[in-house]
Amino acid sequence: EGLKFTLSDACSGDVQKSALLSASFAVNCSPIAMSLPEAGWLCNQSSNDVIKVVLKDYVLANLTQVQLQYAKVGSNNWRTGFTKLAGELSTSVNGSTINWNVSSLVDGDYYLRIKLVCSGGITYTQRVAGTIDRKSPLVLGTPQPTDGIFSIGDDISFTFDENIRTNDLNNSKVELRLFSNNQLIPSAVSGSGARLVITPMQSLQDFYGERIRVTMKNVFDLNGNMMAETDTLLFNVEGFEPSTSNKALQVAVNQPSI
């Protein structure tokens, strides 16, 4: 199953074409279809460690048992997720639904397939690939401004350890407030890749000498996992004050001519 054949030109090898091929011996077993999960399936935090498996189109009289098998993508080391004897399968036209608990599996990309055993031999369904990802996105390193001081031209931003979902970033997820009196400072939130950027809608130079608190929460990664806890950034606002030294301003007055 899943044998990969590649044809390439005999000269440079730059031209290639690959195809996957599966072959099996014909056996007098029941057919079976795994209608769920479909290719590209995802198990994230909201799945609560359960993958819904739906089996259809089988004939109970022509099977002994079925097994769900899984393997890490890139390997051919198949393991058994669960086994159901013929008597445990539903006789409904809608087939059988099994909630497979995957709490013992580590996150990663997996193949799934069904192995059907009958008195005449063994058959397999086509494999379907998907992902288990239940990890929350984490803030990577120190948010900007990293020195805890905001000056003109500085960014206010957080960088995560993975790409984040940016189409639902809004002010319910990020707030800027004065530390002294909790006054809300209007801001806009945007993101790209793994980076989230907060843009104040009012010049922070208006708050020279003040301390600002940034709170961020409920940010999701691309697989729908939410950050585990609120993250906070504190920084002081610095501006550019005119110098009072004797080099700050020089005025030359020439003797006017008459």
Side-chain angles (χ1 to χ4, degrees):
E1 183 202 11
L3 295 175
K4 184 177 182 179
F5 293 87
T6 300
L7 295 177
S8 61
D9 67 283
C11 298
S12 64
D14 292 336
V15 179
Q16 293 187 351
K17 182 67 175 180
S18 297
L20 293 175
L21 178 66
S22 297
S24 60
F25 293 102
V27 293
N28 189 28
C29 286
S30 165
I32 193 167
M34 182 170 65
S35 60
L36 287 178
E38 298 177 322
W41 56 268
L42 172 66
C43 178
N44 59 13
Q45 290 174 347
S46 64
S47 303
N48 296 316
D49 290 325
V50 170
I51 296 176
K52 183 178 179 180
V53 180
V54 177
L55 306 179
K56 290 185 176 182
D57 302 334
Y58 50 81
V59 178
L60 290 176
N62 289 342
L63 69 88
T64 304
Q65 63 175 242
V66 295
Q67 298 176 6
L68 179 133
Q69 296 186 319
Y70 65 92
K72 277 290 193 75
V73 168
S75 80
N76 203 37
N77 182 23
W78 291 93
R79 298 177 180 273
T80 300
F82 63 76
T83 299
K84 295 292 181 181
L85 301 178
E88 298 178 278
L89 298 176
S90 173
T91 58
S92 167
V93 294
N94 296 320
S96 296
T97 299
I98 301 102
N99 291 321
W100 177 37
N101 189 301
V102 295
S103 58
S104 62
L105 270 63
V106 300
D107 286 4
D109 297 327
Y110 289 89
Y111 293 125
L112 303 181
R113 71 181 183 185
I114 295 297
K115 174 183 177 181
L116 184 145
V117 181
C118 71
S119 58
I122 296 172
T123 62
Y124 298 91
T125 62
Q126 291 292 319
R127 65 179 74 184
V128 292
T131 299
I132 298 176
D133 177 12
R134 298 156 293 194
K135 185 181 75 67
S136 296
L138 298 173
V139 173
L140 188 65
T142 304
Q144 292 183 316
T146 56
D147 59 0
I149 297 173
F150 180 87
S151 300
I152 292 177
D154 282 350
D155 284 336
I156 305 172
S157 65
F158 294 80
T159 300
F160 290 84
D161 63 345
E162 59 181 316
N163 288 345
I164 58 172
R165 197 169 73 194
T166 59
N167 60 358
D168 60 352
L169 293 177
N170 53 53
N171 293 109
S172 69
K173 300 178 184 295
V174 178
E175 285 187 347
L176 269 71
R177 291 185 180 271
L178 286 181
F179 189 78
S180 59
N181 61 10
N182 209 37
Q183 175 188 334
L184 180 66
I185 302 172
S187 62
V189 187
S190 61
S192 178
R195 192 163 179 257
L196 180 148
V197 179
I198 304 103
T199 304
M201 303 308 290
Q202 178 179 354
S203 173
L204 292 188
Q205 296 307 303
D206 296 343
F207 305 103
Y208 174 76
E210 292 276 7
R211 191 161 176 78
I212 306 291
R213 179 178 63 246
V214 183
T215 55
M216 177 184 59
K217 62 183 180 181
N218 300 343
V219 175
F220 289 82
D221 67 13
L222 296 182
N223 284 331
N225 300 306
M226 188 174 72
M227 60 187 298
E229 56 189 24
T230 299
D231 215 293
T232 302
L233 166 66
L234 293 170
F235 61 83
N236 296 325
V237 179
E238 284 194 357
F240 293 92
E241 292 188 307
S243 174
T244 57
S245 70
N246 57 5
K247 295 183 179 179
L249 181 64
Q250 294 181 350
V251 178
V253 179
N254 296 322
Q255 181 70 29
S257 59
I258 299 176

